[in-house]
Amino acid sequence: MSINRRSKNITEGVARAPNRSMYYAMGYSEGDFVKPMIGVANGHSTITPCNSGLQKLADAAVEGLKAAGANPQIFGTPTISDGMAMGTEGMKYSLVSREVISDCVETCVGGQWMDGVLVIGGCDKNMPGGMMGILRANVPAIYVYGGTILPGKYKGQDLNIVSVFEAVGQFSAGNMSEEDFCQIERRAIPGPGSCGGMYTANTMSSAFEALGMSLPYASTQANVEDEIVETTRTAAKVLVEAVKADLKPRDIVTKKAIENAVAVIMATGGSTNAVLHFLAIAHAAEVEWTIDDFERIRRKVPVLCDLKPSGQYLAIDLHHAGGIPQVMKVLLKAGLLHGDCMTITGKTVAENLADVPDAPRADQQVIRTIDQPMYAHGHLAILRGNLSPEGCVAKITGLKSPVMTGPARVFEDEQSALAAIMAKQIVAGDVMVLRYLGPKGGPGMPEMLAPTGALIGQGLGESVGLITDGRFSGGTWGMVVGHVAPEAYAGGNIALVQEGDSITIDAHRLLLQLNVDDAELARRRTKWVQPAPRYTRGVLAKFAHNAASASFGAVLDKFD
């Protein structure tokens, strides 16, 4: 093996002795300076069950790196629990944490001149944040997902985090006893791991496997099972081989690889947040990718998997049914995947899938065949119209008809919208408008799981529309449209909507339309005044000042 980047650097000039002294203080010996220095970005924390089980994986990564002849260098990354922050001011920090995590990875890898990096994460923003940092640093890298959670159980039913939010609506509607409500609250999360459906964490982990940046089968394993520990050891060894081969992330994350990832997102019924995050990931990789590319992929890729939130099963069920490799093999055989894309294993996608059956097993119901999909086309539709000329995202699976026209019910924040739902002031046919919740206006583009969960719990999930310049949880389904751009704070037309205005949501025509004539909108615009920023100091103020539009991934470094 050639001498590593750090040893090359520290053997030049007078810095050699002081730099080596710092390593000797940590127990290094002379022979260590020809071994690759591999960062382990450890997202372990006791903030959330998504990350509370990561330390054993960091330990396994260290073991694997040492066994492969590398020097592990551990550093930390933060996390924000979306589930815990939902509906509170803390939710504004969630998307911000994506940027902080990416900065942590890039800063440590660059500052310590690492030869490679293994990133471990669990909660929603750990994934895109880690991948963005990986792509900025562009040294050999692999992503290790912390694993999904096992389902909770109550009265013979599987539970997950969304069960709790929907129970709020059922309890408030008088359709659930207090005892059942409390039992669901206590039993929904039985231990460590990320939220169990095809919500944002499992969506992004699955997409990273399809992207070629994680090992096959790694994205749907359960945190509490032994399999994931051994997979992490293997990932460490694979990374060391990638360092030897100088296989870098940008060699893997090409436009074709992103198409593969988005095809898997569509096939698995993944989270709306994947649109925002893959715009940001493509930006970090310097790959040309726009919001319209998601619609291009959606039109040709069917939904193959029956997964929550709009389906029946959880990520662990998908794993037992054959995992992401089985989904990818079905897509590959149908000509919907690029088999020639390189992966972190040093093999192409097609080579990785060579031993996977062409069709799903007959004894499972999670993965459908290509000729009998859940839906003929993908579920994340990009809508446009005078309410969102830059585009917005509608999740259209699980709906009898993704079309409605109704009167606007306008809210300037999530809390007042939730209060109106709980007070039964929202009725079938209404179109709720939640605004000033975008990247700049929120700031931080908070998720709206509490209002959507309450609507579903009250039986209004398909009959009430909800549009917002904020985001939705991966656990959301219903007549919902998010990421409306331009956002209200930037003067988008969503800021001009008035109570009672007619709004049309039509996923068939890819339309989001405010049925008010241009002259009236122009008159309203002359009276519109941009609100004062909610924060003027600190991380939220910095995010609000620098964030690009949601149609560009809400990244902070889009300067052109």
Side-chain angles (χ1 to χ4, degrees), residues 25-47:
M26 295 187 290
Y28 281 60
S29 63
E30 185 70 21
D32 286 320
F33 296 107
V34 294
K35 297 177 181 179
M37 302 289 190
I38 307 295
V40 177
N42 183 5
H44 172 80
S45 81
T46 56
I47 286 174

Side-chain angles (χ1 to χ4, degrees), residues 412-537:
E412 311 294 311
D413 56 61
E414 178 188 6
Q415 289 73 27
S416 60
L418 180 60
I421 296 168
M422 300 299 283
K424 300 184 180 179
Q425 296 170 356
I426 304 300
V427 299
D430 285 345
V431 178
M432 300 182 71
V433 179
L434 281 63
R435 64 189 180 190
Y436 294 104
L437 295 166
K440 292 181 177 293
M445 213 176 173
E447 294 180 350
M448 302 292 110
L449 180 56
T452 59
L455 286 172
I456 290 168
Q458 291 191 3
L460 299 172
E462 296 195 52
S463 59
V464 169
L466 193 154
I467 70 172
T468 180
D469 50 8
R471 297 183 295 126
F472 293 112
S473 163
T476 292
W477 71 276
M479 197 68 175
V480 297
V481 182
H483 309 195
V484 170
E487 63 177 287
Y489 187 84
N493 281 347
I494 190 172
L496 308 181
V497 179
Q498 294 182 359
E499 188 81 7
D501 283 349
S502 173
I503 292 176
T504 295
I505 304 169
D506 189 336
H508 293 319
R509 293 191 291 160
L510 303 178
L511 179 68
L512 181 65
Q513 187 75 12
L514 176 61
N515 300 312
V516 173
D517 64 49
D518 292 343
E520 173 60 15
L521 290 178
R523 185 190 68 80
R524 293 181 188 181
R525 185 166 295 283
T526 63
K527 298 182 178 181
W528 179 78
V529 177
Q530 185 181 63
R534 298 182 197 266
Y535 295 87
T536 58
R537 291 289 186 272

Side-chain angles (χ1 to χ4, degrees), residues 191-510:
S194 296
C195 299
M198 192 49 66
Y199 310 145
T200 302
N202 287 323
T203 296
M204 297 306 296
S205 69
S206 299
F208 287 178
E209 184 177 326
L211 192 65
M213 289 298 295
S214 296
L215 294 185
Y217 298 100
S219 64
T220 52
Q221 295 173 351
N223 175 267
V224 296
E225 295 180 349
D226 294 339
E227 177 185 30
I228 198 169
V229 176
E230 188 56 39
T231 296
T232 304
R233 291 193 188 97
T234 302
K237 295 172 184 177
V238 167
L239 176 56
V240 174
E241 292 304 310
V243 172
K244 293 177 183 178
D246 197 29
L247 179 59
K248 295 185 175 72
R250 295 196 194 183
D251 300 327
I252 297 170
V253 183
T254 62
K255 185 167 185 174
K256 288 167 67 174
I258 293 176
E259 289 180 346
N260 284 351
V262 173
V264 166
I265 290 165
M266 295 296 177
T268 56
S271 168
T272 54
N273 282 308
V275 175
L276 190 79
H277 296 327
F278 264 93
L279 287 167
I281 287 166
H283 176 76
E286 298 186 271
V287 169
E288 288 188 14
W289 189 265
T290 72
I291 194 168
D292 293 318
D293 286 309
F294 293 94
E295 182 61 29
R296 175 173 59 86
I297 302 298
R298 184 191 75 84
R299 288 174 180 269
K300 62 182 183 179
V301 177
V303 179
L304 296 176
C305 298
D306 187 3
L307 295 168
K308 290 182 181 295
S310 56
Q312 298 183 64
Y313 297 102
L314 297 170
I316 192 62
D317 300 314
L318 173 61
H319 188 64
H320 295 152
I324 293 302
Q326 183 63 81
V327 177
M328 292 178 69
K329 188 61 174 285
V330 173
L331 294 174
L332 182 67
K333 292 297 291 183
L336 298 172
L337 219 60
H338 301 290
D340 59 342
C341 288
M342 180 53 61
T343 74
I344 190 60
T345 66
K347 298 179 181 180
T348 65
V349 166
E351 288 170 338
N352 282 341
L353 299 176
D355 295 331
V356 178
D358 290 348
R361 298 194 322 268
D363 65 347
Q364 57 79 45
Q365 302 296 320
V366 184
I367 308 170
R368 300 285 189 93
T369 58
I370 196 71
D371 59 338
Q372 292 185 318
M374 294 288 295
Y375 304 95
H377 303 287
H379 62 300
L380 300 179
I382 305 302
L383 312 188
R384 293 183 187 270
N386 67 355
L387 257 183
S388 190
E390 290 183 12
C392 55
V393 185
K395 192 173 189 178
I396 58 176
T397 46
L399 299 174
K400 294 183 180 70
S401 174
V403 178
M404 73 175 297
T405 296
R409 302 296 309 277
V410 182
F411 301 90
E412 311 294 311
D413 56 61
E414 178 188 6
Q415 289 73 27
S416 60
L418 180 60
I421 296 168
M422 300 299 283
K424 300 184 180 179
Q425 296 170 356
I426 304 300
V427 299
D430 285 345
V431 178
M432 300 182 71
V433 179
L434 281 63
R435 64 189 180 190
Y436 294 104
L437 295 166
K440 292 181 177 293
M445 213 176 173
E447 294 180 350
M448 302 292 110
L449 180 56
T452 59
L455 286 172
I456 290 168
Q458 291 191 3
L460 299 172
E462 296 195 52
S463 59
V464 169
L466 193 154
I467 70 172
T468 180
D469 50 8
R471 297 183 295 126
F472 293 112
S473 163
T476 292
W477 71 276
M479 197 68 175
V480 297
V481 182
H483 309 195
V484 170
E487 63 177 287
Y489 187 84
N493 281 347
I494 190 172
L496 308 181
V497 179
Q498 294 182 359
E499 188 81 7
D501 283 349
S502 173
I503 292 176
T504 295
I505 304 169
D506 189 336
H508 293 319
R509 293 191 291 160
L510 303 178

